[in-house]
Amino acid sequence: MKLIVDGFGKSIAKKDNQIVIKENGVEQDYFRVKDVSQILFTGKGSITFDALKLLGDNNIDCASIDWRGRVNYRLTSPDNKNAVVKKAQYFALLDNKSGYLAKSFISAKIENQKSLLGTLAKSRVEDNDFLIEKRVNVNENKKKLYLINDKKSEEIRSKVMGIEGQASAEYWAGFASVIEDKWNFNFRSGKGADDPVNALLNYGYAILENDIWKSIYLAGLDPYCGFLHSERYGRASLVYDLIEEFRQQIVDKVVLAIVNRNQISVDDFEYNGDFLAIGEKSRKILIGEILDKLNSRIDFNGKNIKYSDIIMHQGRLMAKFLLGDAEYIGFSRRW
């Protein structure tokens, strides 16, 4: 279970083998530590040393997400000590494994983009020509990936990222076409949101990022050593690599559903400086819907399992691939 601590004046403490949530010093709720997988802070509060030790002993990480959808900090138990996996990861940068993984992440991403556009087109039988066109164009970009030979990632990165950019331009055009004009969404703007949909996407990706980080950490991999995204001081490049496989199915679908069903209002957003901030009501709805999606089950490799477990599986699969023990196949769904 992912535990969300929202609002102000909240604190986390330890009581026996339980996590206690307090508000203004008054105990509000209790959770058995064995039932908690992660804690997300979305407001302001505090945590006791005893609670931190309990979380560390049970490998429960904590993260804080600010109003712009950025992860401010992350607290984890001591680093996974699997040096063998990390060595394999670093050496992979010197051979074709790194390029193969870079292509795999984007191939899966494009397949998921194509899948979502196909689902949207299927639900709009009488007015879906534009969506079908965008889906075809996205697929054409995926074909281009197969023309790139496996080499070291640094030798093919610019080509792979160029194809990803072209596919994403087609995808976001289709995505925008099914959103009402009142949301003022015209394109994906990235980190700085000036419309409600981009603000929701940024916040949703921040929630997803924490699951990706945990998958990589538990697999014994170095989150700062990426294959698709190049190394940059302070950037968790491998996290941004693996997250590409899950954006569409877990976040984009949720955001589309929320705005198209009018579960939230345009009025629940306001500017904080130059960027748009999500109001408390909309933030809670978004968090709840994404957690529901992470806990939802799909058929995967012949089993009915949660999305959150698939994320953990992909981290382990990557480690096995780097060690030469398995083939890496990016996660994607067909419509």
Side-chain angles (χ1 to χ4, degrees):
M1 174 181 65
K2 193 187 301 288
L3 182 59
I4 307 295
V5 182
D6 193 20
F8 300 88
K10 299 288 182 64
S11 63
I12 297 177
K14 169 186 178 294
K15 188 171 185 179
D16 299 325
N17 208 36
Q18 293 181 316
I19 296 169
V20 183
I21 307 298
K22 298 182 180 180
E23 185 171 0
N24 297 321
V26 180
E27 296 181 357
Q28 299 289 323
D29 215 338
Y30 305 84
F31 299 90
R32 295 182 302 177
V33 70
K34 68 177 184 178
D35 295 331
V36 178
S37 60
Q38 189 179 68
I39 299 178
L40 293 183
F41 301 101
T42 59
K44 292 184 178 180
S46 61
I47 184 169
T48 67
F49 289 165
D50 286 345
L52 283 173
K53 184 178 185 304
L54 179 65
L55 298 177
D57 289 343
N58 288 274
N59 204 28
I60 300 171
D61 60 326
C62 306
S64 171
I65 303 176
D66 70 10
W67 62 271
R68 287 177 62 179
R70 297 180 302 185
V71 178
N72 289 326
Y73 61 81
R74 180 176 285 101
L75 305 175
T76 62
S77 51
D79 191 22
N80 190 309
K81 301 175 178 61
N82 195 339
V84 175
V85 174
K86 287 185 175 64
K87 284 174 63 178
Q89 180 182 0
Y90 302 145
F91 278 119
L93 293 171
L94 305 177
D95 63 37
N96 294 355
K97 283 184 178 179
S98 58
Y100 175 85
L101 284 173
K103 288 170 56 179
S104 296
F105 297 137
I106 294 306
S107 177
K109 176 179 184 176
I110 293 177
E111 184 62 36
N112 284 318
Q113 290 176 332
K114 187 178 74 170
S115 173
L116 180 51
L117 291 177
T119 299
L120 293 173
K122 189 175 181 180
S123 65
R124 293 165 172 77
V125 179
E126 297 179 357
D127 185 23
N128 62 4
D129 290 347
F130 184 74
L131 287 167
I132 292 174
E133 175 190 343
K134 294 297 129 180
R135 183 178 183 273
V136 169
N137 292 345
V138 165
N139 191 51
E140 288 301 312
N141 280 286
K142 184 180 178 182
K143 292 178 182 178
K144 295 177 184 177
L145 280 176
Y146 299 132
L147 302 178
I148 302 176
N149 294 326
D150 290 341
K151 297 181 180 180
K152 292 188 294 185
S153 58
E154 66 178 14
E155 296 179 8
I156 63 173
R157 180 178 291 120
S158 61
K159 291 182 180 179
V160 174
M161 294 297 280
I163 291 171
E164 185 276 335
Q166 293 169 13
S168 290
E170 300 290 338
Y171 168 74
W172 289 115
F175 187 96
S177 72
V178 301
I179 296 177
E180 292 184 59
D181 292 341
K182 67 179 181 179
W183 295 103
N184 195 33
F185 179 79
N186 299 306
F187 56 89
R188 175 75 182 122
S189 63
K191 296 291 185 181
D194 58 4
D195 66 84
V197 175
N198 269 301
L200 291 167
L201 289 168
N202 288 345
Y203 208 92
Y205 293 151
I207 297 171
L208 175 59
E209 180 184 326
N210 289 289
D211 275 58
I212 301 295
W213 185 290
K214 186 164 187 176
S215 170
I216 289 169
Y217 168 79
L218 292 178
L221 296 163
D222 183 345
Y224 294 95
C225 177
F227 300 107
L228 173 66
H229 295 85
S230 59
E231 295 80 27
R232 182 187 301 170
Y233 181 80
R235 179 169 73 175
S237 297
L238 191 61
V239 174
Y240 292 123
D241 284 359
L242 186 55
I243 200 174
E244 299 290 10
E245 299 181 8
F246 294 95
R247 293 181 188 272
Q248 297 74 36
Q249 296 294 335
I250 294 176
V251 178
D252 296 1
K253 277 188 173 181
V254 164
V255 170
L256 267 181
I258 287 174
V259 298
N260 285 341
R261 294 172 184 168
N262 291 309
Q263 291 178 257
I264 61 176
S265 168
V266 175
D267 296 332
D268 200 27
F269 296 77
E270 61 181 21
Y271 278 94
N272 187 334
D274 295 330
F275 302 107
L276 207 62
I278 307 174
E280 182 178 359
K281 176 186 174 183
S282 294
R283 186 178 69 249
K284 288 182 176 180
I285 290 174
L286 175 65
I287 291 172
E289 293 289 340
I290 288 181
L291 294 188
D292 286 346
K293 175 65 75 171
L294 285 167
N295 288 321
S296 65
R297 294 176 177 271
I298 63 168
D299 290 330
F300 178 74
N301 290 346
K303 298 179 180 178
N304 187 254
I305 62 176
K306 298 178 181 178
Y307 271 109
S308 57
D309 292 330
I310 297 173
I311 293 173
M312 297 301 126
H313 171 272
Q314 291 301 104
R316 293 191 299 269
L317 184 63
M318 197 191 315
K320 290 179 180 179
F321 169 77
L322 292 169
L323 292 171
D325 296 333
E327 178 185 3
Y328 187 83
I329 300 174
F331 168 75
S332 63
R333 294 199 72 189
R334 296 183 181 274
W335 63 287

